[in-house]
Amino acid sequence: MNKKLLIYACTFVLFIWFINAIAHFLYWYSAMRWFDIPMHILGGMFLALLAGALFFNSLISLSRLQIIVTTLLFVLVVGLGWEAFEYVVQAFIKDSSQV
């Protein structure tokens, strides 16, 4: 595991958390309908840093191309899972509010 990348990832996720907390407090998600797009991009960047920290010095020797492909697939799978989670939660909240 690459400790330097892991420190960057932890610092970056704290930055994202801070921006998200401010956004919720100031209602930026409802005031600026586009605001979730840069937040999703920042989340993807965090996942890429995390994947780089996990896969860069892995026990299995990977080539640079394999690291890039593995990182992209990791970000894609987690991102799609997150979008599915958001869809299910939003559908559940809409259904429960109609009761």
Side-chain angles (χ1 to χ4, degrees):
M1 183 178 313
N2 191 326
K3 289 183 182 181
K4 192 173 185 179
L5 277 178
L6 188 60
I7 291 170
Y8 287 149
C10 290
T11 305
F12 196 65
V13 80
L14 289 174
F15 169 74
I16 293 170
W17 175 82
F18 181 72
I19 297 297
N20 188 54
I22 292 172
H24 279 290
F25 182 74
L26 297 175
Y27 302 101
W28 287 352
Y29 286 106
S30 50
M32 297 180 276
R33 298 202 38 88
W34 53 267
F35 187 75
D36 68 327
I37 295 170
M39 293 303 288
H40 279 87
I41 292 169
L42 290 174
M45 291 170 63
F46 161 70
L47 287 174
L49 278 171
L50 183 63
L54 295 174
F55 302 134
F56 190 68
N57 290 333
S58 64
L59 297 174
I60 303 168
S61 180
L62 299 175
S63 71
R64 191 173 293 251
L65 178 63
Q66 289 172 324
I67 292 170
I68 291 170
V69 170
T70 304
T71 300
L72 289 174
L73 285 174
F74 178 78
V75 171
L76 179 69
V77 167
V78 173
L80 287 174
W82 182 258
E83 290 300 324
F85 170 76
E86 282 185 335
Y87 179 79
V88 168
V89 167
Q90 190 172 18
F92 178 73
I93 289 172
K94 283 183 181 178
D95 286 343
S96 66
S97 66
Q98 294 175 357
V99 173

